[in-house]
Amino acid sequence: MARKYPLDTYRNIGIIAHIDAGKTTTTERILFYTGKTHRIGSVDDGTTVTDWMEQERERGITIVSAAVSAEWKGYQVNIIDTPGHIDFTAEVQRSLRVLDGGIVVFDAVQGVEPQSETVWRQADRYQVPRICFVNKMDRTGASYERSIESMRRRLGANPIAMQLPIGIEAGFKGVVDLLSQKAILWDDDMGREPLETEIPEDMLLAVHQMREQMVEQICETDDDLTLKYLEGKEITIAELKAVLRSATITGKITPVFCGSSLRNKGVQPLLDAVIDYLPSPADIPPVSGIHPHRGDTVERPAEDTAPTSALVFKIVADPYVGRLAYIRVYSGKLTTGTMVYNPTKDRRERVGRLLRMYADRREDLNEILAGDIGAVVGLKESFTGDTLCDASNLIILENITFPEPVISVAIEPKTTADQDKMADALHKLSEEDPTFRVRVDEETGQTIIAGMGELHLEILVDRMLREFRVQARVGRPQVAYRETITTVVPKAEFRYVKQTGGRGQYGHVIFELKPGEPGSGIVFENGIIGGDIPREYIPAIEKGVRESAEAGVLAGYPVVDMAIRLYGGSFHEVDSNEMAFKMAASMAFKEGIHRGAPILQEPIMKVEVIVPEEFLGEIIGQLNARRGEIQGTEMRPGNTQEIIAMVPLGEMFGYATDLRSATQGRGVFTMEFDHYSQVSDNVAKMILA
């Protein structure tokens, strides 16, 4: 099938921002102006296209990233609207992994907010080019200049103003395009027809100065243009656009636009900027991955004729079509009814239906070509982060790494009839969400669910009730503590000998235990030289170590960040077996932990609180009382102060209520996981008691 759109007319973009900056509202306007919808949805009314879940509409927040497609001036634009709340950061992460560009939305009053920093770092990690949109220019206290300055200061970005607002706050009515030196006004309420006109007299000087500054910034990124600028030669708009596009794609510059999505102003120029400055799949380097057998690097160009390579970035349990796998095709194509190979799982998969997603609605396709994003029905073994490719041209693309859950609760069905339904629901939800974990506590038999925060788990329990009709009781939130050692244990030895009348059991291992780097997990090394322990028993030894690490030694929390080297032991010709070595490994590991000066670690959250200045002292005192470590304070717009602190997660339960009471409901806070740190002795005693 021939392409409807050439590859260079595709744009795969994400809309990312802090919670409540206006991502979903901006997406709604894009869909309206591109003709995808015939009425503008409202977040407040729960009528938006991309916030389609009941929980999203009730709370007025985005929970899952939604993919939509639109057409603008002959270009195919695939848009992913992402959540702003930190509990759903995995949604942002997996979206950024497969996108070519991003629109970062900022609140014109607040400028750069905590979650803005997080998503910016995530975009840096995946080298996603960005343009910025300073939204809510009509609000009291809005400042375009201050927002740009906060990008420079807090993000370390190189922002370049492409527009100047006409009017401020309630008087905001349009923008001046600095490139074309034309004013753009929106007179009608729906903002359908932007009116291009002359720049207001009183703005001519400011526009001239800002344009000079913009031209200089663009020229600095290109040697030929710098020379031309210094020689005082005329530089055309086409030249400026071409260099700006190149500098945006390489991340040297971030163009900044402004508007008010809610008031239907500024969205069309933003769409034009997506076309003009963000890359197509053809503009980015060929995707690279690893050959699963040879281990060398393999590249795939973004061409339909190249061998197929695609990445699964999201799994959804759709009530109408079943299990949906969202994919980005990097090279080649996926065709309905064909077989593909999943090298991550070493499985062949059949491609059932192919769909173009439109939030929770869908359109059938015959094929998905290189550079495009779509969804596949029929994949049984493929999960988030898996690669799909040709069986004869193998490649494994870079996986998506997700943060570990930091909070857990016990959950049990209300009735026996709900037992099986709950297990099925939890299985499907954990398939969808890589930051959601389910395990059964061996000692108590309880089902434990873990996630990124209280809201994350609350939403998942609510989905169980609504989507899967499972009634469940939920326990109090528990912190995901960890265990580790602080000193080297040169020799941890255990000889497992059991005689039971007939054939006995014999396993003997000697380990060396060392503290590992933070985040390294459990690293097992087989250092056996000669035949002290036959090779076939090594997997059982490693399994014994890993199972004991998972179950914990001090207080039942997982053991992490350790290197274990097996370097000695012995076996018996008759009595040795896998079970005996597994038991010996488990016992030696536990003994070694006790001798390695073990400690408990707790998750430390980066907490940012914004409060009116008069409450500053009280809130700092509140955070100190919760074992918080104040990192600093900063003035924010509207006579408010921002407090940045590191606080243990265990102390943050119920903080929202305390903050509201102490600030008459005017204080807000955000928190995200930062690192694990040793628990103080007095707190450890309470946990271990």
Side-chain angles (χ1 to χ4, degrees), residues 99-121:
L99 293 170
D100 300 327
I103 300 173
V104 190
V105 183
F106 297 94
D107 182 323
V109 179
Q110 299 298 336
V112 175
E113 295 177 271
Q115 186 63 1
S116 318
E117 291 187 58
T118 305
V119 295
W120 193 271
R121 287 198 302 273

Side-chain angles (χ1 to χ4, degrees), residues 406-417:
V406 293
I407 187 169
S408 62
V409 295
I411 186 167
E412 59 182 40
K414 281 189 177 175
T415 65
T416 5

Side-chain angles (χ1 to χ4, degrees), residues 20-31:
D20 215 24
K23 295 179 299 298
T24 302
T25 306
T26 304
T27 308
E28 280 299 313
R29 278 25 181 207
I30 289 174
L31 293 176

Side-chain angles (χ1 to χ4, degrees), residues 247-265:
T248 305
I249 292 171
T250 53
K252 292 176 186 172
I253 276 183
T254 308
V256 184
F257 301 82
C258 64
S260 168
S261 297
L262 190 64
R263 302 281 172 249
N264 309 316
K265 293 176 172 66

Side-chain angles (χ1 to χ4, degrees), residues 22-84:
K23 295 179 299 298
T24 302
T25 306
T26 304
T27 308
E28 280 299 313
R29 278 25 181 207
I30 289 174
L31 293 176
F32 179 70
Y33 296 131
T34 54
K36 274 291 179 183
T37 55
H38 301 293
R39 59 185 286 275
I40 297 176
S42 161
V43 172
D44 293 337
D45 298 342
T47 54
T48 58
V49 171
T50 53
D51 284 354
W52 54 270
M53 284 169 66
E54 285 180 46
Q55 294 86 343
E56 294 178 311
R57 291 182 168 172
E58 283 173 5
R59 289 170 168 80
I61 61 169
T62 303
I63 293 168
V64 296
S65 51
V68 291
S69 296
E71 184 185 323
W72 181 251
K73 297 182 178 178
Y75 285 75
Q76 166 84 24
V77 184
N78 295 322
I79 306 162
I80 297 184
D81 177 26
T82 64

Side-chain angles (χ1 to χ4, degrees), residues 1-4 304 333 335 356 365-369:
M1 190 176 84
R3 273 186 176 275
K4 186 180 176 184
D304 301 343
K333 57 186 177 186
T335 310
R356 174 146 346 267
L365 300 170
N366 292 323
E367 58 186 16
I368 299 175
L369 302 169

